[in-house]
């Protein structure tokens, strides 16, 4: 099975991403994503007991993880 990393831009029409899609976009496992959510590093939306991540929250999380050339957090 080929491991493919997806960019958030590949789904311009989506507002909410499943845990699996979010983990794939970030290139991490679902259990690691669950840790980010449980530690309140990444907000979640719950609909009928299903957990989703809102596009804006995912974009903010990705932007918050960026580093400048000098190595400091941007």
């Amino acid at each position: 099975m080929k491991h493919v990393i997806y960019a958030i831009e590949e789904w311009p029409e989506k507002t909410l991403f499943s845990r699996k899609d979010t983990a794939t976009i970030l290139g991490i496992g679902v259990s690691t994503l669950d840790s980010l959510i449980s530690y309140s590093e990444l907000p979640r939306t719950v609909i009928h007991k299903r957990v989703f991540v809102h596009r804006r929250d995912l974009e903010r999380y990705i932007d918050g993880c960026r580093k400048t050339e000098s190595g400091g957090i941007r």
Side-chain angles (χ1 to χ4, degrees):
M1 184 170 130
K2 184 179 176 184
H3 183 95
V4 179
I5 304 285
Y6 295 95
I8 196 170
E9 291 86 18
E10 292 186 31
W11 293 296
E13 73 287 352
K14 287 186 89 168
T15 301
L16 296 174
F17 293 93
S18 68
R19 289 169 48 245
K20 183 178 177 186
D21 287 345
T22 302
T24 301
I25 290 167
L26 293 175
I28 60 176
V30 175
S31 61
T32 303
L33 175 66
D34 290 341
S35 293
L36 291 174
I37 291 170
S38 69
Y39 292 130
S40 300
E41 292 184 40
L42 184 60
R44 72 187 183 324
T45 300
V46 180
I47 300 173
H48 294 289
K49 298 183 182 180
R50 291 192 60 206
V51 176
F52 297 94
V53 175
H54 196 280
R55 172 181 289 277
R56 284 183 315 226
D57 295 327
L58 181 54
E59 290 171 342
R60 282 187 204 122
Y61 177 78
I62 292 169
D63 285 343
C65 290
R66 293 178 62 190
K67 295 187 179 191
T68 62
E69 289 181 27
S70 62
I73 294 179
R74 199 175 101 123

